[in-house]
Structures are given as C-alpha cells and as structure tokens.
Amino acid sequence: MIKELFQKMLSKAGKTYQIDDRIPDRLIYSVLYNRAKMLVRGYFKTGRKVFIGSDSKIMNPGNIIFGKSVTIGRLCILDGFSSEKIVLGDCVKIGAFSVLTSTSHFSKYGKGLKMGNNSAIGDYTHFGAAGGIEIGDDVIMGSFISFHSENHNFSDKSKLIREQGVTSKGIKLGNNIWVGAKVTFLDGCIVGNNSVVAAGAVVNGIFPDNVVIGGVPAKILKTIE
C-alpha cells in the first residue's frame, strides 16, 4: 500500500522510475518522515515549501527563488547576498555539507548561482559564485564538486597578489550533463549540452555539445554520436 502511494507521489513530482519491489516499506516510511521534517524546517526558514536538512543556514532568503520541491541537504550554507537573484529551479537538489558563497569579499558584490530544473549535485559541493555560475536543466553531479568563478590578478610585481584584485568571466554548464565526482570548474569555462565530465577533471576552457571530457586540464576524450 505504501509503495503504491509513494509511486503516485513520485509520478506527480515528475519522476518516471519504478520503485524496486525489494525496497522494504520501513525504508519508505523513514524517507517520508524525514521529508516531512525537512519541509516543516524549510517553511520556517524561508516561508516557502522547501525541503531543508538539519543545521543548514540560508542567508538572505528573500533574494533566492525556490522552484517546486527544492531540497537542501543537512549542514549546508547558502549565501543569498548577490547582485542577481539566486535561482534554484524545480526539483533542484543540493547535497549535504555544501556551501554557496556569492560574495567572497566586500570589494566586490558577487553575482550568484542559477540552477535549472531537475538538476542535482552531491555532498560537499563548493559553489564559489562571486563571478556567476549557471547550470542548465537535467544536470546530475557527484560529490566533492567545486566551482571557482574568479581568478586572482598577479601580473604587477610591485604589489602583493592579494592586493591586485580579481577578474570574473563566470562558469556555464548546459543541459543534460553528467559530472563525475571531484570535478573542478575554473572561471571562464563553458560545457555544452548532452555532455559528460569524467571524475577528477579540471575544466578550464570552452567545450561543445555532445562530448566526453576529462583529465587535468580537461580535454575532449570522445564525441557522443
């Protein structure tokens, strides 16, 4: 009975997969109980229907647009102080222990983050979003991903590097991308649609649609036909 109810709830949320018959009812009850607690917590923190894990901190929630069924894992910190709205689309999921930093220094008001519908990222993610991060729809990402949308200037030898300021181009990921664990995205990189980024890659460049990229620095490994 509970499986049938849960299956209907998943279908209503746009999920197309079928629950494995071997899943015990007590696991489903546990998930539903925890989701209910997250929903209550999210309402108190944001005034909206957002699922938020325990001990997570949402800064300046009025500048964050939450889509339907957004899930923020436990012990996350989301910095909503940015010059543009933070946008988390429908069914976005951010894993536990993740940090979004929109404004990293008072010398520059940061740009922020936009994540499209049905995009999810694993635990221990670092969003360095001062220069702007855009992630498309249906992007699935592993754990320990990091985004660094700024570069430090260092050409003036008469000044300390920390005194020379930064440049920012931003980071952009297209739609329908699979990103493996422990990938690093550097400022100015663009990854096209329908692509795969291999685990451990350091992405610093512009890549077209329909490719598999990987390595340090990342390069095209194959074309997806």
Side-chain angles (χ1 to χ4, degrees):
M1 185 69 175
I2 187 63
K3 283 191 180 74
E4 294 177 3
L5 177 61
F6 195 46
Q7 189 72 65
K8 289 179 181 178
M9 293 172 64
L10 290 173
S11 298
K12 189 175 181 180
K15 306 297 184 181
T16 58
Y17 66 86
Q18 189 71 28
I19 298 174
D20 190 326
D21 290 336
R22 297 170 296 175
I23 298 294
D25 287 353
R26 64 181 181 275
L27 176 56
I28 296 176
Y29 281 118
S30 175
V31 169
L32 290 174
Y33 175 70
N34 287 327
R35 292 285 286 177
K37 289 197 300 181
M38 292 174 74
L39 183 58
V40 171
R41 187 181 298 113
Y43 185 80
F44 277 107
K45 286 181 177 289
T46 69
R48 282 159 279 187
K49 293 181 179 178
V50 182
F51 297 88
I52 298 181
S54 59
D55 299 311
S56 285
K57 184 177 182 181
I58 313 295
M59 301 165 60
N60 198 26
N63 196 48
I64 303 176
I65 297 174
F66 294 97
K68 298 177 181 178
S69 298
V70 170
T71 299
I72 309 298
R74 64 191 182 96
L75 288 164
C76 292
I77 300 174
L78 300 188
D79 168 16
F81 288 100
S82 57
S83 61
E84 298 183 5
K85 291 283 188 180
I86 305 293
V87 179
L88 304 178
D90 295 346
C91 299
V92 160
K93 181 178 180 181
I94 296 176
F97 307 101
S98 296
V99 176
L100 163 63
T101 302
S102 296
T103 296
S104 59
H105 197 277
F106 283 170
S107 63
K108 178 186 175 184
Y109 201 33
K111 190 172 181 179
L113 167 71
K114 292 179 172 63
M115 286 184 71
N117 298 333
N118 304 306
S119 288
I121 196 163
D123 300 342
Y124 297 98
T125 295
H126 174 77
F127 295 101
I133 301 169
E134 294 184 25
I135 298 169
D137 299 333
D138 303 297
V139 178
I140 55 175
M141 295 169 275
S143 298
F144 295 97
I145 309 293
S146 62
F147 297 84
H148 306 274
S149 60
E150 285 185 330
N151 272 321
H152 286 275
N153 299 320
F154 57 86
S155 59
D156 188 347
K157 293 187 292 184
S158 67
K159 294 182 179 180
L160 297 171
I161 293 175
R162 64 179 174 82
E163 296 176 341
Q164 295 185 46
V166 297
T167 57
S168 298
K169 297 178 181 178
I171 295 169
K172 185 173 182 179
L173 276 60
N175 303 316
N176 188 35
I177 298 172
W178 171 25
V179 179
K182 299 182 180 178
V183 170
T184 300
F185 293 97
L186 300 180
D187 186 45
C189 73
I190 298 175
V191 179
N193 303 320
N194 312 312
S195 296
V196 175
V197 184
V202 176
V203 184
N204 184 21
I206 298 174
F207 296 92
D209 298 345
N210 306 306
V211 293
V212 177
I213 65 175
V216 182
K219 61 182 180 180
I220 295 175
L221 303 179
K222 65 178 290 186
T223 299
I224 300 173
E225 300 295 343

